[in-house]
Amino acid sequence: MPLIRDLVQADYSVVEELLYSNHLGGGRFYDPEGLDVVVAELRGSVVGVAEFQLHCDFGHDIGREAHPGEQTFVLTMAVAHAARRGGVGRALLAEIARRAQEAGHTFLALVPQDGGDAADRQAFFQACGFTLYGPAGPGAAWGCPVSEILAVKGTAATAGE
Ligand SMILES: CC(C)(COP(=O)(O)OP(=O)(O)OC[C@H]1O[C@@H](n2cnc3c(N)ncnc32)[C@H](O)[C@@H]1OP(=O)(O)O)[C@@H](O)C(=O)NCCC(=O)NCCS
């Protein structure tokens, strides 16, 4: 079970490489300004990262008026190749869900990246309980009630527990 904890500055170079090697994140230097970020550690090494906005008025911010109100929005996730299919991605989402619940939000939303590996990404998000809502197509939104993510057995462990 990975340890999920807040990002610290010493993680920046590993996170930068994780994002860069997955064609995520545009800049040369990692800058988490304005983001909420958690990392996953296995045996003392950072093997995963998730960037999110704990408080996001998704519907209004990007013009989706039919969307439920303020919630938590998952921006970016990456897990090192060698650590995949071991539950790290699921644990990162579970920690975001736990924090969302603590903050009074009931829903996680995200827009999976298009392009290569889109089917794998969707399979992952579906396995974690997310479903498409609104019209399908590029930029389509997916979401999941926080309670469903937290109801999955084995997703409750977080840093310090
Ligand atoms: C998507 C990603 C974050 C998943 O991380 P992970 O740690 O491998 O995911 P988990 O091990 O927690 O997977 C949970 C479940 O999702 C499903 N799943 C995960 N990856 C999958 C894949 N490539 N194909 C099909 N199903 C997949 C499985 O059902 C899996 O459970 P199982 O292994 O018991 O069958 C990782 O593959 C990754 O970093 N991909 C590249 C970057 C990316 O696409 N990020 C997401 C969009 S920003």
PDB file of all heavy atoms in Angstrom, residues 1-4 38-43 47-50 77-96 124 127-128 149 152-158:
ATOM      1  N   MET A   1       0.854  -1.198   0.000  1.00  0.00           N
ATOM      2  CA  MET A   1       0.000   0.000   0.000  1.00  0.00           C
ATOM      3  C   MET A   1       0.887   1.245   0.000  1.00  0.00           C
ATOM      4  O   MET A   1       1.753   1.379   0.852  1.00  0.00           O
ATOM      5  CB  MET A   1      -0.871  -0.028   1.271  1.00  0.00           C
ATOM      6  CG  MET A   1      -2.022   0.926   1.252  1.00  0.00           C
ATOM      7  SD  MET A   1      -3.299   0.380   0.106  1.00  0.00           S
ATOM      8  CE  MET A   1      -4.503   1.655   0.377  1.00  0.00           C
ATOM      9  N   PRO A   2       0.733   2.137  -0.982  1.00  0.00           N
ATOM     10  CA  PRO A   2       1.577   3.332  -0.995  1.00  0.00           C
ATOM     11  C   PRO A   2       1.218   4.290   0.131  1.00  0.00           C
ATOM     12  O   PRO A   2       0.099   4.279   0.636  1.00  0.00           O
ATOM     13  CB  PRO A   2       1.252   3.962  -2.350  1.00  0.00           C
ATOM     14  CG  PRO A   2      -0.112   3.483  -2.669  1.00  0.00           C
ATOM     15  CD  PRO A   2      -0.244   2.115  -2.068  1.00  0.00           C
ATOM     16  N   LEU A   3       2.193   5.093   0.502  1.00  0.00           N
ATOM     17  CA  LEU A   3       1.962   6.196   1.425  1.00  0.00           C
ATOM     18  C   LEU A   3       1.579   7.400   0.571  1.00  0.00           C
ATOM     19  O   LEU A   3       2.317   7.740  -0.365  1.00  0.00           O
ATOM     20  CB  LEU A   3       3.253   6.493   2.188  1.00  0.00           C
ATOM     21  CG  LEU A   3       3.242   7.725   3.082  1.00  0.00           C
ATOM     22  CD1 LEU A   3       2.584   7.369   4.416  1.00  0.00           C
ATOM     23  CD2 LEU A   3       4.659   8.230   3.320  1.00  0.00           C
ATOM     24  N   ILE A   4       0.457   8.021   0.871  1.00  0.00           N
ATOM     25  CA  ILE A   4       0.049   9.213   0.111  1.00  0.00           C
ATOM     26  C   ILE A   4       0.239  10.425   1.015  1.00  0.00           C
ATOM     27  O   ILE A   4      -0.236  10.435   2.146  1.00  0.00           O
ATOM     28  CB  ILE A   4      -1.432   9.128  -0.332  1.00  0.00           C
ATOM     29  CG1 ILE A   4      -1.743   7.789  -1.003  1.00  0.00           C
ATOM     30  CG2 ILE A   4      -1.771  10.298  -1.262  1.00  0.00           C
ATOM     31  CD1 ILE A   4      -1.039   7.538  -2.299  1.00  0.00           C
ATOM     32  N   VAL A  38      -0.722  15.844  -4.296  1.00  0.00           N
ATOM     33  CA  VAL A  38      -0.301  14.742  -3.418  1.00  0.00           C
ATOM     34  C   VAL A  38       0.614  13.816  -4.214  1.00  0.00           C
ATOM     35  O   VAL A  38       0.502  13.717  -5.445  1.00  0.00           O
ATOM     36  CB  VAL A  38      -1.493  13.932  -2.842  1.00  0.00           C
ATOM     37  CG1 VAL A  38      -2.212  14.709  -1.752  1.00  0.00           C
ATOM     38  CG2 VAL A  38      -2.465  13.496  -3.927  1.00  0.00           C
ATOM     39  N   VAL A  39       1.520  13.174  -3.493  1.00  0.00           N
ATOM     40  CA  VAL A  39       2.402  12.192  -4.131  1.00  0.00           C
ATOM     41  C   VAL A  39       2.228  10.851  -3.429  1.00  0.00           C
ATOM     42  O   VAL A  39       1.770  10.779  -2.285  1.00  0.00           O
ATOM     43  CB  VAL A  39       3.885  12.629  -4.084  1.00  0.00           C
ATOM     44  CG1 VAL A  39       4.105  13.885  -4.893  1.00  0.00           C
ATOM     45  CG2 VAL A  39       4.376  12.783  -2.659  1.00  0.00           C
ATOM     46  N   ALA A  40       2.608   9.798  -4.166  1.00  0.00           N
ATOM     47  CA  ALA A  40       2.559   8.441  -3.616  1.00  0.00           C
ATOM     48  C   ALA A  40       3.988   7.937  -3.470  1.00  0.00           C
ATOM     49  O   ALA A  40       4.785   8.051  -4.397  1.00  0.00           O
ATOM     50  CB  ALA A  40       1.783   7.531  -4.564  1.00  0.00           C
ATOM     51  N   GLU A  41       4.275   7.400  -2.305  1.00  0.00           N
ATOM     52  CA  GLU A  41       5.606   6.855  -2.033  1.00  0.00           C
ATOM     53  C   GLU A  41       5.514   5.355  -1.834  1.00  0.00           C
ATOM     54  O   GLU A  41       4.621   4.871  -1.133  1.00  0.00           O
ATOM     55  CB  GLU A  41       6.102   7.423  -0.697  1.00  0.00           C
ATOM     56  CG  GLU A  41       7.212   8.400  -0.790  1.00  0.00           C
ATOM     57  CD  GLU A  41       7.722   8.773   0.603  1.00  0.00           C
ATOM     58  OE1 GLU A  41       7.968   7.861   1.419  1.00  0.00           O
ATOM     59  OE2 GLU A  41       7.853   9.974   0.863  1.00  0.00           O
ATOM     60  N   LEU A  42       6.472   4.650  -2.436  1.00  0.00           N
ATOM     61  CA  LEU A  42       6.612   3.214  -2.183  1.00  0.00           C
ATOM     62  C   LEU A  42       8.051   2.981  -1.751  1.00  0.00           C
ATOM     63  O   LEU A  42       8.970   3.394  -2.483  1.00  0.00           O
ATOM     64  CB  LEU A  42       6.328   2.398  -3.437  1.00  0.00           C
ATOM     65  CG  LEU A  42       4.880   2.044  -3.784  1.00  0.00           C
ATOM     66  CD1 LEU A  42       4.857   1.233  -5.072  1.00  0.00           C
ATOM     67  CD2 LEU A  42       4.187   1.289  -2.668  1.00  0.00           C
ATOM     68  N   ARG A  43       8.242   2.354  -0.639  1.00  0.00           N
ATOM     69  CA  ARG A  43       9.590   2.080  -0.120  1.00  0.00           C
ATOM     70  C   ARG A  43      10.491   3.320  -0.198  1.00  0.00           C
ATOM     71  O   ARG A  43      11.643   3.258  -0.637  1.00  0.00           O
ATOM     72  CB  ARG A  43      10.224   0.897  -0.856  1.00  0.00           C
ATOM     73  CG  ARG A  43       9.522  -0.425  -0.544  1.00  0.00           C
ATOM     74  CD  ARG A  43      10.053  -1.561  -1.374  1.00  0.00           C
ATOM     75  NE  ARG A  43       9.690  -1.446  -2.773  1.00  0.00           N
ATOM     76  CZ  ARG A  43       8.486  -1.778  -3.275  1.00  0.00           C
ATOM     77  NH1 ARG A  43       7.562  -2.256  -2.482  1.00  0.00           N
ATOM     78  NH2 ARG A  43       8.226  -1.634  -4.562  1.00  0.00           N
ATOM     79  N   VAL A  47       6.572   7.546  -6.487  1.00  0.00           N
ATOM     80  CA  VAL A  47       6.249   6.804  -7.718  1.00  0.00           C
ATOM     81  C   VAL A  47       4.959   7.306  -8.372  1.00  0.00           C
ATOM     82  O   VAL A  47       4.564   6.788  -9.418  1.00  0.00           O
ATOM     83  CB  VAL A  47       6.119   5.283  -7.439  1.00  0.00           C
ATOM     84  CG1 VAL A  47       7.438   4.693  -6.977  1.00  0.00           C
ATOM     85  CG2 VAL A  47       5.006   5.000  -6.427  1.00  0.00           C
ATOM     86  N   GLY A  48       4.307   8.276  -7.763  1.00  0.00           N
ATOM     87  CA  GLY A  48       3.062   8.764  -8.349  1.00  0.00           C
ATOM     88  C   GLY A  48       2.748  10.165  -7.881  1.00  0.00           C
ATOM     89  O   GLY A  48       3.222  10.609  -6.829  1.00  0.00           O
ATOM     90  N   VAL A  49       1.974  10.867  -8.703  1.00  0.00           N
ATOM     91  CA  VAL A  49       1.587  12.236  -8.354  1.00  0.00           C
ATOM     92  C   VAL A  49       0.167  12.490  -8.851  1.00  0.00           C
ATOM     93  O   VAL A  49      -0.258  11.921  -9.864  1.00  0.00           O
ATOM     94  CB  VAL A  49       2.575  13.267  -8.983  1.00  0.00           C
ATOM     95  CG1 VAL A  49       2.600  13.173 -10.495  1.00  0.00           C
ATOM     96  CG2 VAL A  49       2.241  14.683  -8.538  1.00  0.00           C
ATOM     97  N   ALA A  50      -0.553  13.309  -8.124  1.00  0.00           N
ATOM     98  CA  ALA A  50      -1.871  13.757  -8.581  1.00  0.00           C
ATOM     99  C   ALA A  50      -2.021  15.231  -8.243  1.00  0.00           C
ATOM    100  O   ALA A  50      -1.782  15.644  -7.103  1.00  0.00           O
ATOM    101  CB  ALA A  50      -2.986  12.944  -7.923  1.00  0.00           C
ATOM    102  N   MET A  77      -2.717  13.116 -13.305  1.00  0.00           N
ATOM    103  CA  MET A  77      -2.208  11.996 -12.498  1.00  0.00           C
ATOM    104  C   MET A  77      -1.143  11.268 -13.297  1.00  0.00           C
ATOM    105  O   MET A  77      -1.284  11.095 -14.507  1.00  0.00           O
ATOM    106  CB  MET A  77      -3.307  10.971 -12.222  1.00  0.00           C
ATOM    107  CG  MET A  77      -4.404  11.477 -11.333  1.00  0.00           C
ATOM    108  SD  MET A  77      -5.556  10.140 -10.996  1.00  0.00           S
ATOM    109  CE  MET A  77      -4.505   9.034 -10.060  1.00  0.00           C
ATOM    110  N   ALA A  78      -0.127  10.811 -12.629  1.00  0.00           N
ATOM    111  CA  ALA A  78       0.880   9.969 -13.299  1.00  0.00           C
ATOM    112  C   ALA A  78       1.483   9.014 -12.287  1.00  0.00           C
ATOM    113  O   ALA A  78       1.773   9.396 -11.146  1.00  0.00           O
ATOM    114  CB  ALA A  78       1.968  10.820 -13.930  1.00  0.00           C
ATOM    115  N   VAL A  79       1.671   7.785 -12.719  1.00  0.00           N
ATOM    116  CA  VAL A  79       2.315   6.754 -11.895  1.00  0.00           C
ATOM    117  C   VAL A  79       3.485   6.203 -12.719  1.00  0.00           C
ATOM    118  O   VAL A  79       3.352   5.974 -13.935  1.00  0.00           O
ATOM    119  CB  VAL A  79       1.306   5.636 -11.536  1.00  0.00           C
ATOM    120  CG1 VAL A  79       1.995   4.469 -10.833  1.00  0.00           C
ATOM    121  CG2 VAL A  79       0.186   6.197 -10.650  1.00  0.00           C
ATOM    122  N   ALA A  80       4.627   6.012 -12.087  1.00  0.00           N
ATOM    123  CA  ALA A  80       5.809   5.478 -12.776  1.00  0.00           C
ATOM    124  C   ALA A  80       5.473   4.110 -13.376  1.00  0.00           C
ATOM    125  O   ALA A  80       4.771   3.310 -12.747  1.00  0.00           O
ATOM    126  CB  ALA A  80       6.965   5.352 -11.786  1.00  0.00           C
ATOM    127  N   HIS A  81       6.009   3.844 -14.556  1.00  0.00           N
ATOM    128  CA  HIS A  81       5.708   2.586 -15.251  1.00  0.00           C
ATOM    129  C   HIS A  81       5.910   1.381 -14.343  1.00  0.00           C
ATOM    130  O   HIS A  81       5.074   0.484 -14.287  1.00  0.00           O
ATOM    131  CB  HIS A  81       6.587   2.445 -16.500  1.00  0.00           C
ATOM    132  CG  HIS A  81       6.021   3.172 -17.673  1.00  0.00           C
ATOM    133  ND1 HIS A  81       5.071   2.609 -18.499  1.00  0.00           N
ATOM    134  CD2 HIS A  81       6.237   4.419 -18.136  1.00  0.00           C
ATOM    135  CE1 HIS A  81       4.741   3.485 -19.435  1.00  0.00           C
ATOM    136  NE2 HIS A  81       5.430   4.591 -19.237  1.00  0.00           N
ATOM    137  N   ALA A  82       7.038   1.375 -13.646  1.00  0.00           N
ATOM    138  CA  ALA A  82       7.391   0.197 -12.843  1.00  0.00           C
ATOM    139  C   ALA A  82       6.421  -0.029 -11.688  1.00  0.00           C
ATOM    140  O   ALA A  82       6.383  -1.128 -11.117  1.00  0.00           O
ATOM    141  CB  ALA A  82       8.806   0.359 -12.299  1.00  0.00           C
ATOM    142  N   ALA A  83       5.651   0.999 -11.337  1.00  0.00           N
ATOM    143  CA  ALA A  83       4.748   0.873 -10.184  1.00  0.00           C
ATOM    144  C   ALA A  83       3.286   0.721 -10.593  1.00  0.00           C
ATOM    145  O   ALA A  83       2.395   0.681  -9.742  1.00  0.00           O
ATOM    146  CB  ALA A  83       4.905   2.096  -9.278  1.00  0.00           C
ATOM    147  N   ARG A  84       3.031   0.621 -11.899  1.00  0.00           N
ATOM    148  CA  ARG A  84       1.627   0.582 -12.345  1.00  0.00           C
ATOM    149  C   ARG A  84       0.956  -0.747 -12.039  1.00  0.00           C
ATOM    150  O   ARG A  84       1.617  -1.761 -11.869  1.00  0.00           O
ATOM    151  CB  ARG A  84       1.547   0.872 -13.854  1.00  0.00           C
ATOM    152  CG  ARG A  84       1.807   2.340 -14.105  1.00  0.00           C
ATOM    153  CD  ARG A  84       1.560   2.730 -15.533  1.00  0.00           C
ATOM    154  NE  ARG A  84       2.092   4.076 -15.718  1.00  0.00           N
ATOM    155  CZ  ARG A  84       2.253   4.657 -16.884  1.00  0.00           C
ATOM    156  NH1 ARG A  84       1.899   4.032 -17.978  1.00  0.00           N
ATOM    157  NH2 ARG A  84       2.747   5.872 -16.947  1.00  0.00           N
ATOM    158  N   ARG A  85      -0.355  -0.684 -12.018  1.00  0.00           N
ATOM    159  CA  ARG A  85      -1.232  -1.832 -11.767  1.00  0.00           C
ATOM    160  C   ARG A  85      -1.007  -2.413 -10.378  1.00  0.00           C
ATOM    161  O   ARG A  85      -1.247  -3.593 -10.144  1.00  0.00           O
ATOM    162  CB  ARG A  85      -1.068  -2.914 -12.837  1.00  0.00           C
ATOM    163  CG  ARG A  85      -1.381  -2.442 -14.249  1.00  0.00           C
ATOM    164  CD  ARG A  85      -2.751  -1.818 -14.411  1.00  0.00           C
ATOM    165  NE  ARG A  85      -3.840  -2.760 -14.311  1.00  0.00           N
ATOM    166  CZ  ARG A  85      -4.454  -3.294 -15.358  1.00  0.00           C
ATOM    167  NH1 ARG A  85      -4.063  -2.971 -16.577  1.00  0.00           N
ATOM    168  NH2 ARG A  85      -5.460  -4.114 -15.186  1.00  0.00           N
ATOM    169  N   GLY A  86      -0.556  -1.546  -9.461  1.00  0.00           N
ATOM    170  CA  GLY A  86      -0.373  -1.991  -8.080  1.00  0.00           C
ATOM    171  C   GLY A  86      -1.258  -1.227  -7.114  1.00  0.00           C
ATOM    172  O   GLY A  86      -1.059  -1.305  -5.901  1.00  0.00           O
ATOM    173  N   GLY A  87      -2.188  -0.448  -7.647  1.00  0.00           N
ATOM    174  CA  GLY A  87      -3.118   0.268  -6.778  1.00  0.00           C
ATOM    175  C   GLY A  87      -2.678   1.680  -6.414  1.00  0.00           C
ATOM    176  O   GLY A  87      -3.359   2.356  -5.629  1.00  0.00           O
ATOM    177  N   VAL A  88      -1.566   2.157  -6.994  1.00  0.00           N
ATOM    178  CA  VAL A  88      -1.083   3.504  -6.639  1.00  0.00           C
ATOM    179  C   VAL A  88      -2.055   4.579  -7.138  1.00  0.00           C
ATOM    180  O   VAL A  88      -2.426   5.495  -6.397  1.00  0.00           O
ATOM    181  CB  VAL A  88       0.334   3.741  -7.207  1.00  0.00           C
ATOM    182  CG1 VAL A  88       0.769   5.189  -7.004  1.00  0.00           C
ATOM    183  CG2 VAL A  88       1.330   2.795  -6.547  1.00  0.00           C
ATOM    184  N   GLY A  89      -2.480   4.461  -8.390  1.00  0.00           N
ATOM    185  CA  GLY A  89      -3.416   5.443  -8.944  1.00  0.00           C
ATOM    186  C   GLY A  89      -4.715   5.480  -8.144  1.00  0.00           C
ATOM    187  O   GLY A  89      -5.237   6.557  -7.817  1.00  0.00           O
ATOM    188  N   ARG A  90      -5.207   4.308  -7.815  1.00  0.00           N
ATOM    189  CA  ARG A  90      -6.454   4.227  -7.037  1.00  0.00           C
ATOM    190  C   ARG A  90      -6.275   4.871  -5.654  1.00  0.00           C
ATOM    191  O   ARG A  90      -7.157   5.577  -5.163  1.00  0.00           O
ATOM    192  CB  ARG A  90      -6.844   2.748  -6.876  1.00  0.00           C
ATOM    193  CG  ARG A  90      -8.288   2.523  -6.529  1.00  0.00           C
ATOM    194  CD  ARG A  90      -8.498   1.072  -6.167  1.00  0.00           C
ATOM    195  NE  ARG A  90      -8.567   0.141  -7.283  1.00  0.00           N
ATOM    196  CZ  ARG A  90      -9.667  -0.084  -7.996  1.00  0.00           C
ATOM    197  NH1 ARG A  90     -10.762   0.579  -7.756  1.00  0.00           N
ATOM    198  NH2 ARG A  90      -9.650  -0.979  -8.968  1.00  0.00           N
ATOM    199  N   ALA A  91      -5.101   4.655  -5.048  1.00  0.00           N
ATOM    200  CA  ALA A  91      -4.839   5.230  -3.719  1.00  0.00           C
ATOM    201  C   ALA A  91      -4.753   6.751  -3.789  1.00  0.00           C
ATOM    202  O   ALA A  91      -5.202   7.459  -2.876  1.00  0.00           O
ATOM    203  CB  ALA A  91      -3.553   4.639  -3.145  1.00  0.00           C
ATOM    204  N   LEU A  92      -4.170   7.280  -4.872  1.00  0.00           N
ATOM    205  CA  LEU A  92      -4.107   8.740  -5.040  1.00  0.00           C
ATOM    206  C   LEU A  92      -5.518   9.319  -5.145  1.00  0.00           C
ATOM    207  O   LEU A  92      -5.852  10.320  -4.496  1.00  0.00           O
ATOM    208  CB  LEU A  92      -3.302   9.091  -6.292  1.00  0.00           C
ATOM    209  CG  LEU A  92      -1.774   8.952  -6.174  1.00  0.00           C
ATOM    210  CD1 LEU A  92      -1.129   8.925  -7.557  1.00  0.00           C
ATOM    211  CD2 LEU A  92      -1.187  10.092  -5.345  1.00  0.00           C
ATOM    212  N   LEU A  93      -6.360   8.672  -5.959  1.00  0.00           N
ATOM    213  CA  LEU A  93      -7.744   9.163  -6.103  1.00  0.00           C
ATOM    214  C   LEU A  93      -8.503   9.066  -4.782  1.00  0.00           C
ATOM    215  O   LEU A  93      -9.298   9.942  -4.442  1.00  0.00           O
ATOM    216  CB  LEU A  93      -8.480   8.342  -7.163  1.00  0.00           C
ATOM    217  CG  LEU A  93      -8.317   8.761  -8.613  1.00  0.00           C
ATOM    218  CD1 LEU A  93      -9.152   7.865  -9.508  1.00  0.00           C
ATOM    219  CD2 LEU A  93      -8.720  10.226  -8.825  1.00  0.00           C
ATOM    220  N   ALA A  94      -8.246   7.994  -4.043  1.00  0.00           N
ATOM    221  CA  ALA A  94      -8.949   7.813  -2.757  1.00  0.00           C
ATOM    222  C   ALA A  94      -8.575   8.920  -1.779  1.00  0.00           C
ATOM    223  O   ALA A  94      -9.415   9.424  -1.030  1.00  0.00           O
ATOM    224  CB  ALA A  94      -8.608   6.445  -2.164  1.00  0.00           C
ATOM    225  N   GLU A  95      -7.291   9.328  -1.793  1.00  0.00           N
ATOM    226  CA  GLU A  95      -6.875  10.402  -0.888  1.00  0.00           C
ATOM    227  C   GLU A  95      -7.533  11.734  -1.292  1.00  0.00           C
ATOM    228  O   GLU A  95      -7.965  12.515  -0.442  1.00  0.00           O
ATOM    229  CB  GLU A  95      -5.348  10.526  -0.886  1.00  0.00           C
ATOM    230  CG  GLU A  95      -4.809  11.696  -0.082  1.00  0.00           C
ATOM    231  CD  GLU A  95      -5.160  11.641   1.396  1.00  0.00           C
ATOM    232  OE1 GLU A  95      -5.618  10.589   1.884  1.00  0.00           O
ATOM    233  OE2 GLU A  95      -4.987  12.689   2.073  1.00  0.00           O
ATOM    234  N   ILE A  96      -7.612  11.965  -2.600  1.00  0.00           N
ATOM    235  CA  ILE A  96      -8.278  13.196  -3.057  1.00  0.00           C
ATOM    236  C   ILE A  96      -9.750  13.155  -2.636  1.00  0.00           C
ATOM    237  O   ILE A  96     -10.304  14.156  -2.167  1.00  0.00           O
ATOM    238  CB  ILE A  96      -8.130  13.360  -4.581  1.00  0.00           C
ATOM    239  CG1 ILE A  96      -6.657  13.544  -4.938  1.00  0.00           C
ATOM    240  CG2 ILE A  96      -8.960  14.535  -5.078  1.00  0.00           C
ATOM    241  CD1 ILE A  96      -6.374  13.536  -6.441  1.00  0.00           C
ATOM    242  N   PHE A 124      -8.950   2.955 -16.489  1.00  0.00           N
ATOM    243  CA  PHE A 124      -8.564   3.226 -15.098  1.00  0.00           C
ATOM    244  C   PHE A 124      -9.654   4.027 -14.381  1.00  0.00           C
ATOM    245  O   PHE A 124     -10.097   3.651 -13.289  1.00  0.00           O
ATOM    246  CB  PHE A 124      -7.227   3.986 -15.062  1.00  0.00           C
ATOM    247  CG  PHE A 124      -6.918   4.616 -13.737  1.00  0.00           C
ATOM    248  CD1 PHE A 124      -6.626   3.833 -12.624  1.00  0.00           C
ATOM    249  CD2 PHE A 124      -6.940   6.001 -13.586  1.00  0.00           C
ATOM    250  CE1 PHE A 124      -6.354   4.414 -11.383  1.00  0.00           C
ATOM    251  CE2 PHE A 124      -6.670   6.586 -12.358  1.00  0.00           C
ATOM    252  CZ  PHE A 124      -6.376   5.795 -11.253  1.00  0.00           C
ATOM    253  N   ALA A 127     -12.671   1.937 -13.750  1.00  0.00           N
ATOM    254  CA  ALA A 127     -12.439   0.957 -12.675  1.00  0.00           C
ATOM    255  C   ALA A 127     -12.546   1.631 -11.308  1.00  0.00           C
ATOM    256  O   ALA A 127     -12.892   0.989 -10.316  1.00  0.00           O
ATOM    257  CB  ALA A 127     -11.069   0.312 -12.841  1.00  0.00           C
ATOM    258  N   CYS A 128     -12.239   2.927 -11.262  1.00  0.00           N
ATOM    259  CA  CYS A 128     -12.307   3.663  -9.994  1.00  0.00           C
ATOM    260  C   CYS A 128     -13.692   4.254  -9.743  1.00  0.00           C
ATOM    261  O   CYS A 128     -13.894   4.956  -8.746  1.00  0.00           O
ATOM    262  CB  CYS A 128     -11.247   4.756  -9.971  1.00  0.00           C
ATOM    263  SG  CYS A 128      -9.568   4.101  -9.935  1.00  0.00           S
ATOM    264  N   ILE A 149     -16.084   6.281  -4.238  1.00  0.00           N
ATOM    265  CA  ILE A 149     -14.637   6.019  -4.238  1.00  0.00           C
ATOM    266  C   ILE A 149     -14.214   5.531  -2.858  1.00  0.00           C
ATOM    267  O   ILE A 149     -13.453   4.574  -2.721  1.00  0.00           O
ATOM    268  CB  ILE A 149     -13.861   7.292  -4.623  1.00  0.00           C
ATOM    269  CG1 ILE A 149     -14.216   7.690  -6.051  1.00  0.00           C
ATOM    270  CG2 ILE A 149     -12.355   7.082  -4.480  1.00  0.00           C
ATOM    271  CD1 ILE A 149     -13.648   9.009  -6.500  1.00  0.00           C
ATOM    272  N   VAL A 152     -14.878   1.762  -1.629  1.00  0.00           N
ATOM    273  CA  VAL A 152     -14.091   0.618  -2.099  1.00  0.00           C
ATOM    274  C   VAL A 152     -13.150   0.176  -0.995  1.00  0.00           C
ATOM    275  O   VAL A 152     -12.403   0.987  -0.453  1.00  0.00           O
ATOM    276  CB  VAL A 152     -13.289   0.983  -3.377  1.00  0.00           C
ATOM    277  CG1 VAL A 152     -12.397  -0.166  -3.804  1.00  0.00           C
ATOM    278  CG2 VAL A 152     -14.248   1.367  -4.483  1.00  0.00           C
ATOM    279  N   LYS A 153     -13.211  -1.110  -0.691  1.00  0.00           N
ATOM    280  CA  LYS A 153     -12.397  -1.662   0.402  1.00  0.00           C
ATOM    281  C   LYS A 153     -10.915  -1.419   0.114  1.00  0.00           C
ATOM    282  O   LYS A 153     -10.447  -1.567  -1.001  1.00  0.00           O
ATOM    283  CB  LYS A 153     -12.657  -3.172   0.485  1.00  0.00           C
ATOM    284  CG  LYS A 153     -12.217  -3.813   1.769  1.00  0.00           C
ATOM    285  CD  LYS A 153     -12.811  -5.213   1.852  1.00  0.00           C
ATOM    286  CE  LYS A 153     -12.281  -5.934   3.077  1.00  0.00           C
ATOM    287  NZ  LYS A 153     -10.947  -6.461   2.880  1.00  0.00           N
ATOM    288  N   GLY A 154     -10.181  -1.011   1.174  1.00  0.00           N
ATOM    289  CA  GLY A 154      -8.736  -0.864   1.023  1.00  0.00           C
ATOM    290  C   GLY A 154      -8.300   0.491   0.511  1.00  0.00           C
ATOM    291  O   GLY A 154      -7.130   0.686   0.230  1.00  0.00           O
ATOM    292  N   THR A 155      -9.233   1.455   0.389  1.00  0.00           N
ATOM    293  CA  THR A 155      -8.823   2.771  -0.120  1.00  0.00           C
ATOM    294  C   THR A 155      -8.702   3.804   0.992  1.00  0.00           C
ATOM    295  O   THR A 155      -8.433   4.966   0.714  1.00  0.00           O
ATOM    296  CB  THR A 155      -9.824   3.325  -1.156  1.00  0.00           C
ATOM    297  OG1 THR A 155     -11.113   3.363  -0.565  1.00  0.00           O
ATOM    298  CG2 THR A 155      -9.836   2.491  -2.411  1.00  0.00           C
ATOM    299  N   ALA A 156      -8.833   3.401   2.237  1.00  0.00           N
ATOM    300  CA  ALA A 156      -8.890   4.407   3.296  1.00  0.00           C
ATOM    301  C   ALA A 156      -7.522   4.828   3.818  1.00  0.00           C
ATOM    302  O   ALA A 156      -7.392   5.856   4.443  1.00  0.00           O
ATOM    303  CB  ALA A 156      -9.738   3.892   4.461  1.00  0.00           C
ATOM    304  N   ALA A 157      -6.457   4.052   3.562  1.00  0.00           N
ATOM    305  CA  ALA A 157      -5.170   4.367   4.166  1.00  0.00           C
ATOM    306  C   ALA A 157      -4.551   5.627   3.574  1.00  0.00           C
ATOM    307  O   ALA A 157      -4.549   5.823   2.369  1.00  0.00           O
ATOM    308  CB  ALA A 157      -4.200   3.211   3.969  1.00  0.00           C
ATOM    309  N   THR A 158      -4.032   6.498   4.431  1.00  0.00           N
ATOM    310  CA  THR A 158      -3.392   7.729   3.972  1.00  0.00           C
ATOM    311  C   THR A 158      -2.165   7.968   4.824  1.00  0.00           C
ATOM    312  O   THR A 158      -1.881   7.225   5.745  1.00  0.00           O
ATOM    313  CB  THR A 158      -4.337   8.936   4.120  1.00  0.00           C
ATOM    314  OG1 THR A 158      -4.694   9.058   5.483  1.00  0.00           O
ATOM    315  CG2 THR A 158      -5.568   8.791   3.255  1.00  0.00           C
TER     316      THR A 158
END
